[in-house]
Amino acid sequence: MRYERSSALFRAAYNVLPGGVNSPVRAFQAVGGTPVFVKEAKGAYFIDEDGNRFVDFIASWGPLLFGHAFEPVLEAVIERTRKGTSFGMPTALETELAEKVISMVPNVEKVRFVNSGTEACMSAVRLARGYTGRDKIIKFAGCYHGHADAFLIQAGSGAVTFGSPNSPGVTPGTAKDTLLATYNDLESVETLVSANTGEIAAFILEPVAGNMGCIPPEKGFLEGLRELCTRKGIVLIFDEVMTGFRLAPGGAQEALGIRADIATFGKVLGGGLPVGAFAASREIMRHLAPEGPVYQAGTLSGNPLAMGAGLAMLTAIEKDPEVFTRLEQKTAYLHKGLEKALDSKDVPVQINRFGSMISVHFTDAKVRDFESAAKGNNDYFKTYFHGMLDRGVYLPPSAFESYFLNDALSYEDLDLAIEAASQSMG
Ligand SMILES: *Cc1c(COP(=O)(O)O)cnc(C)c1O
C-alpha cells in the first residue's frame, strides 16, 4: 500500500501540532511508520487520503457500535444542527437522554453530562471525595481514566506506550493521593486500605480493563472490591467509558452483575460526538453543584448536537438489543480465527477477550494485569500491526489497546483479518 498523501499530510501536521496529532497514540510512535490520514468512512470501512480502503477495528476507539456514519446518528445531528448548535441553557433533550441512561444502566438515579471520558472520571473522583470527606483514591496499574492529573500514575495505553507512566507536570502532591494497586489482585487493595484507614474516598477501575489490552476481571475480584467498599464506606467507581453501552445496555454492571456507586461513561454514549457522563444514586448526586457544594460545570455540557447523537445511539441500542449478541458472536469468531492463524506460527501469543473487546499479546504467560501485559514483545507486535495494515486491516497502533468490533463488520471482513494475521506473521 502507498501512503504518500498521508505522509505529506503528517509532515504538514507535524509543523503545527505537537507530534502531528491531537491525541498521542494516533502518531504511530509505538509501531513506527506514517499515521494513516482518514478521508471518509462508512460502516466497517474507511478510506484514507491515498484512496486505500481499510476494515476498521477501532471504531473511533469504541464509540461507533454500529459502524461509521450510522444513519440514525447522522440524521439526529443534522436535524439538531439546523435548530442551533449550542445555547448554554437547558433543553428538553438533556432530560430525555438522562432518562434513557437511567432506564438502561442499573443502580443510577441521576446523571451529569460532560464532554469527554476524562472529564467524567475527573469529576466522579471529585464527587467521591466531596461525598466521603476523604482525599485518597486507589487506582489500578494499567487502567486508564483519561488524562487528569490524579490518573497519570501508571495509566495504561497511550501513557505506557510512550514510556511516561508518570507524566511531568503532575505534582508530587497530586501523586501522593493516588495509591496504586494491581488489577485482579484483591490482596494488593486490602493492603493499601489497611495502611490508609479512613482515608480512602474511592476505588476507580475499568470493570473490564481495556487500556492494557483487554483484561477481564477474574472471579471474585470485583465482588471482593464491592464488599470492601461497602464495609469501609469507600465509593466504588466503575469507569465504564469503554464498557458502557458496549458490553450490555447497562454496561459492565449489567454484564457482570456487580453494583458500582458511581459509573462514568463516554465513547458509545456520544455515538461519535464528544459526550461523557457520570451517574449515581440521588444520595450521592445531591452533593453536586448546584444541589450541593461539589463544583462541576461546562459551557458545552449537554450540547444539543451531542445529546441528539447520544439519544439516537441509545435508542438504536434499545430497539436492537440483539446487537450485543451479534457483536459477541463476531468477536468470538475472530478470537477463534486469530488463535488458529497465530498458534501455528513461531511466536508466543495470548488472546484476551470479553464481549466485543479483544486483544492480542505476544507473550507466553497469561495476561491478567499490567505487569504481564507489559511483557508482550513489541517487535512482534510491530510486524503484526504493519502486516495487517498493508493488507487493509486497521488495528489499534499500540499493543496496549483493545480492538472494538462494530456491528457493520461482516464475517467476510473477519475472514480477511484472520487471513491477514496468518500472512503477517509469515
Ligand atoms: C477512553 C477512556 C477514557 C477517556 O475518555 P476521553 O473521552 O478520551 O477523555 C477514560 N476511561 C476509559 C476506560 C477509557 O477507555
Side-chain angles (χ1 to χ4, degrees), residues 70-377:
F70 180 50
E71 284 300 333
V73 171
L74 295 191
E75 277 165 27
V77 172
I78 291 165
E79 187 201 316
R80 292 288 158 193
T81 303
R82 295 194 194 285
K83 297 176 179 168
T85 56
S86 180
F87 311 114
M89 289 179 271
T91 59
L93 205 50
E94 292 155 88
T95 308
E96 212 181 323
L97 184 56
E99 286 170 351
K100 185 82 67 193
V101 168
I102 291 162
S103 75
M104 294 170 85
V105 177
N107 312 313
V108 304
E109 295 170 317
K110 283 199 175 185
V111 187
R112 169 65 53 90
F113 291 112
V114 294
N115 306 291
S116 68
T118 296
E119 258 187 273
C121 294
M122 179 183 90
S123 310
V125 164
R126 184 180 305 137
L127 177 59
R129 284 172 166 156
Y131 172 70
T132 57
R134 302 172 182 173
D135 289 347
K136 294 184 179 169
I137 59 167
I138 292 182
K139 88 171 276 288
F140 293 80
C143 278
Y144 181 67
H145 307 295
H147 61 87
D149 286 4
F151 304 130
L152 288 181
I153 321 287
Q154 294 214 6
S157 51
V160 173
T161 305
F162 302 102
S164 54
N166 300 286
S167 170
V170 176
T171 65
T174 297
K176 84 169 174 25
D177 286 330
T178 301
L179 310 177
L180 202 62
T182 304
Y183 199 80
N184 276 328
D185 180 354
L186 195 55
E187 226 179 278
S188 75
V189 186
E190 284 164 346
T191 306
L192 287 174
V193 170
S194 310
N196 296 274
T197 307
E199 293 184 88
I200 313 277
F203 301 164
I204 182 165
L205 79 159
E206 298 174 61
V208 175
N211 283 289
M212 41 185 166
C214 171
I215 303 188
E218 288 172 8
K219 209 171 157 46
F221 176 57
L222 297 178
E223 290 82 351
L225 294 180
R226 175 66 269 171
E227 192 275 324
L228 195 55
C229 281
T230 304
R231 189 152 45 87
K232 301 283 185 183
I234 296 168
V235 174
L236 183 61
I237 305 173
F238 273 6
D239 176 351
E240 298 234 35
V241 171
M242 194 179 272
T243 52
F245 311 103
R246 171 163 287 278
L247 298 185
Q253 287 197 80
E254 178 183 338
L256 300 164
I258 310 276
R259 178 177 62 84
D261 297 310
I262 304 179
T264 64
F265 299 95
K267 300 197 167 111
V268 177
L269 172 60
L273 266 79
V275 184
F278 56 105
S281 63
R282 281 174 205 285
E283 165 56 20
I284 292 179
M285 292 303 267
R286 76 181 171 81
H287 292 260
L288 198 64
E291 252 182 83
V294 177
Y295 197 69
Q296 195 286 325
T299 301
L300 290 181
S301 294
N303 172 270
L305 310 191
M307 296 292 102
L311 198 56
M313 191 59 157
L314 299 200
T315 304
I317 290 172
E318 233 177 18
K319 277 193 193 145
D320 183 13
E322 285 300 305
V323 66
F324 298 104
T325 314
R326 293 196 300 274
L327 282 170
E328 160 102 44
Q329 285 167 350
K330 284 177 189 174
T331 316
Y333 181 86
L334 180 70
H335 186 172
K336 231 187 208 157
L338 288 177
E339 215 158 55
K340 208 163 152 223
L342 295 173
D343 273 359
S344 60
K345 311 294 173 189
D346 197 18
V347 289
V349 175
Q350 301 287 325
I351 303 179
N352 282 3
R353 180 178 74 84
F354 194 102
S356 56
M357 294 161 58
I358 182 170
S359 61
V360 174
H361 296 262
F362 292 98
T363 177
D364 271 323
K366 187 170 157 58
V367 173
R368 57 187 294 268
D369 56 17
F370 178 64
E371 200 187 329
S372 44
K375 288 204 175 106
N377 180 315

Side-chain angles (χ1 to χ4, degrees), residues 353-416:
R353 180 178 74 84
F354 194 102
S356 56
M357 294 161 58
I358 182 170
S359 61
V360 174
H361 296 262
F362 292 98
T363 177
D364 271 323
K366 187 170 157 58
V367 173
R368 57 187 294 268
D369 56 17
F370 178 64
E371 200 187 329
S372 44
K375 288 204 175 106
N377 180 315
N378 202 51
D379 289 329
Y380 288 142
F381 180 77
K382 278 189 200 173
T383 304
Y384 172 66
F385 173 82
H386 280 291
M388 297 293 265
L389 190 70
D390 285 340
R391 290 170 179 83
V393 179
Y394 194 89
L395 300 181
S398 156
F400 291 101
E401 305 281 5
S402 162
Y403 315 176
F404 301 102
L405 272 69
N406 72 77
D407 192 47
L409 285 162
S410 67
Y411 281 89
E412 289 72 48
D413 297 328
L414 302 179
D415 285 335
L416 179 98

